[in-house]
Amino acid sequence: MTEHGHSQQEIAARINAPPGRGVLRDVVYGGIDGSVTTFAIVAGVAGAGLSPFIIVALGLANVLADGFSMAAGNYSGTKAELDNIRRIRAIEERHIHLYPDGERDEVREILSQKGLSGRVLDEATDAITANHDNWINLMIEGEYGLGSVDPHPMKAAMATFLAFLVAGMIPLLPFLAGVERAFALSAWMTMGVFFAIGALKSRWSLAPWWRSGGETLLIGGAAASIAYLVGSLFHP
């Protein structure tokens, strides 16, 4: 886990520019889905005994179409989340204008639940409500449980699409190169991608890298196995 400094300058820079949730979820989501869905197509078509040309054609179609679809879906979902935050912010602005005493009491309750009391609680309430933006940000976090850093729909969409594109191309590389035993090589490379994504994910968690990698490998391998078995049912 990455540590951070605690000098006054480092603290001020970090607190004044919080990173928000970042794109880790979007990259992991896109990478795993890109690998799983593309290899599922490869495994299904190979199980049915069809030609490598069909595998490449369907695989490329999946990488581009499904990758764009996922990116668009993530963009829409993240934008809906952003729109909801803006809606709540507008509600709080209206309530502060119409019911300032009630909103002030809500601030006091939020701060009291954080451990403040007595004179300190009174002074903290006065300080927060004296600044309009700080007042609303505290209400968004304390009353609705939402972060004060707004999500970025386009950044989330691009991270998802690029991760899907990179990871989704891996199962197709042996077929594009025309190597022998392309399916076996594709399977090993895809399993490696599953494990690598899981191991990389462990940098942002408390799980050891081998456990996180193994978990992702099992999930992706199960999806690929199901696709291959279904495809083999149609083998002539």
Side-chain angles (χ1 to χ4, degrees):
M1 297 178 64
T2 303
E3 301 293 338
H4 52 254
H6 291 85
S7 68
Q8 187 60 44
Q9 294 80 4
E10 289 171 318
I11 292 174
R14 189 168 60 252
I15 300 302
N16 290 329
R21 75 181 190 190
V23 297
L24 173 63
R25 184 190 68 174
D26 307 305
V27 170
V28 172
Y29 178 47
I32 292 177
D33 197 80
S35 298
V36 169
T37 57
T38 305
F39 186 72
I41 289 175
V42 170
V45 176
L50 301 180
S51 71
F53 177 80
I54 295 178
I55 293 175
V56 171
L58 293 179
L60 288 176
N62 173 77
V63 168
L64 296 176
D66 198 15
F68 181 82
S69 176
M70 280 194 62
N74 199 9
Y75 174 87
S76 298
T78 307
K79 189 174 185 303
E81 181 182 354
L82 179 60
D83 290 342
N84 184 51
I85 294 174
R86 289 172 175 169
R87 179 187 64 84
I88 291 173
R89 187 179 295 274
I91 290 174
E92 288 303 311
E93 288 179 347
R94 186 173 69 255
H95 285 183
I96 288 173
H97 176 71
L98 296 175
Y99 317 107
D101 292 339
E103 291 296 313
R104 179 184 173 86
D105 289 341
E106 290 180 0
V107 170
R108 184 181 179 86
E109 178 62 24
I110 292 170
L111 295 176
S112 70
Q113 292 186 10
K114 294 182 180 293
L116 278 63
S117 62
R119 182 178 177 181
V120 174
L121 175 59
D122 294 335
E123 292 176 349
T125 301
D126 291 339
I128 291 293
T129 56
N131 184 289
H132 185 74
D133 290 337
N134 289 342
W135 190 346
I136 292 177
N137 287 337
L138 181 67
M139 298 304 299
I140 289 176
E141 177 187 352
E143 186 175 2
Y144 298 95
L146 300 173
S148 59
V149 180
D150 292 338
H152 300 280
M154 185 55 69
K155 184 184 294 186
M158 290 302 298
T160 299
F161 180 73
L162 291 177
F164 191 103
L165 184 65
V166 172
M169 285 299 298
I170 299 298
L172 298 177
L173 293 180
F175 297 96
L176 289 171
V179 300
E180 294 184 5
R181 298 177 56 84
F183 176 72
L185 181 58
S186 175
W188 282 109
M189 292 175 65
T190 303
M191 296 303 109
V193 171
F194 291 151
F195 188 86
I197 291 174
L200 180 63
K201 186 178 61 173
S202 70
R203 284 179 52 87
W204 292 272
S205 73
L206 297 177
W209 63 270
W210 53 268
R211 179 179 298 171
S212 181
E215 179 185 78
T216 306
L217 176 60
L218 287 175
I219 294 172
S225 299
I226 292 172
Y228 183 79
L229 290 174
V230 172
S232 65
L233 297 176
F234 298 92
H235 195 287

